[in-house]
Amino acid sequence: ALGQPIERVQLDQALFTGEAVAYALQIAAASLHFAYGGMLATRLSRGLLHLSQHDGMTGLLNRMAGNDHLEAEWQRYLRNGESFGLLMLDADHFKRINDEHGHLDGDEVLVQLGEVLRRGLRPMDSAARMGGEEFMLLLPGVDADGAQAAAERLREAVQTHFALRLVEAQRLTVSVGWTLASATDAGGQGVLARADRALYLAKAGGRNRVCGLPPPGHEPEECAAA
């Protein structure tokens, strides 16, 4: 049969068809391989980006990403004139928890604090851990009343959450300082510096309270005791 020319042609055609199918399968497999590799690379890239922007303990933004969000919000304010509120929040007497119960318990308290803050914000708001037990919260489009209300709501949420702790030393409260952006500020860092001063006043006034320090020429400072 192999000696017949026509059969050789049929056999060659069969071999050629088989090779073509094999090549097509190899190309399809390679395409799937590259597509899968691309998906993994994209997922890895997104994962690395998330890690570079978020605090590993609380899952909130880290200090660098928080400052980037603040600068972006400042640029938006310059473009459309819509002010924003900035809150600085600090855990009261946090060192006592670490000293009396150890850093593992202290870390767990920070994790829960981050979750309470996350639940208390609107979708357009952002929260960043600025270091230690200090947090920055960015509230676009709020006025003085809105900033005060948000700060007081977060303070109460933290107090309520940690009041359920069985160990008294882990019953955490927070002090909060807030301010609003103003055209007189030297950029977003100027707004941050004033919010920091408001936080200092809240802590100096007894802690577990809210203190508002609006820009010069606006309402006078407002500090409310718990």
Side-chain angles (χ1 to χ4, degrees), residues 181-198:
S182 169
T184 60
D185 289 315
Q189 292 303 310
V191 187
L192 179 60
R194 188 167 55 255
D196 230 9
R197 291 197 299 272

Side-chain angles (χ1 to χ4, degrees), residues 11-219:
L11 182 60
D12 291 344
Q13 289 176 343
L15 289 174
F16 177 77
T17 302
E19 291 178 355
V21 171
Y23 283 133
L25 291 174
Q26 289 178 356
I27 293 173
S31 299
L32 290 174
H33 174 76
F34 285 122
Y36 182 67
M39 291 171 59
L40 288 179
T42 299
R43 180 173 296 181
L44 178 60
S45 177
R46 289 177 178 173
L48 291 174
L49 179 62
H50 184 273
L51 288 175
S52 70
Q53 293 180 339
H54 291 78
D55 174 58
M57 182 178 298
T58 64
L60 303 178
L61 296 174
N62 58 30
R63 185 185 187 96
M64 181 178 296
N67 283 327
D68 288 344
H69 278 233
L70 174 58
E71 181 58 29
E73 189 61 30
W74 174 257
Q75 293 301 323
R76 190 186 67 83
Y77 165 59
L78 293 180
R79 289 193 302 271
N80 61 25
E82 184 180 15
S83 187
F84 60 89
L86 189 66
L87 278 58
M88 288 299 295
L89 180 148
D90 185 79
D92 297 329
H93 304 297
F94 181 75
K95 184 176 183 298
R96 183 183 63 188
I97 297 177
N98 282 334
D99 291 345
E100 296 184 9
H101 299 276
H103 290 278
L104 289 179
D105 276 1
D107 290 349
E108 176 59 26
V109 167
L110 288 178
V111 170
Q112 293 190 38
L113 176 56
E115 182 59 31
V116 173
L117 297 181
R118 186 182 295 108
R119 291 199 306 262
L121 296 177
R122 304 170 301 170
M124 70 283 291
D125 300 334
S126 62
R129 184 185 178 197
M130 301 300 281
E133 61 274 16
E134 192 171 75
F135 299 82
M136 180 184 76
L137 301 104
L138 192 61
L139 312 179
V142 301
D143 55 13
D145 291 338
Q148 171 69 22
E152 186 60 32
R153 184 175 65 251
L154 290 172
R155 186 199 65 77
E156 291 179 355
V158 172
Q159 184 175 29
T160 300
H161 176 84
F162 286 98
L164 301 177
R165 304 284 290 204
L166 297 178
V167 181
E168 184 177 355
Q170 296 177 351
R171 293 177 185 174
L172 189 72
T173 61
V174 293
S175 300
V176 188
W178 65 265
T179 191
L180 301 177
S182 169
T184 60
D185 289 315
Q189 292 303 310
V191 187
L192 179 60
R194 188 167 55 255
D196 230 9
R197 291 197 299 272
L199 173 60
Y200 172 81
L201 291 174
K203 293 166 67 175
R207 302 179 188 269
N208 191 22
R209 65 177 59 200
V210 169
C211 180
L213 193 59
H218 291 70
E219 299 86 348

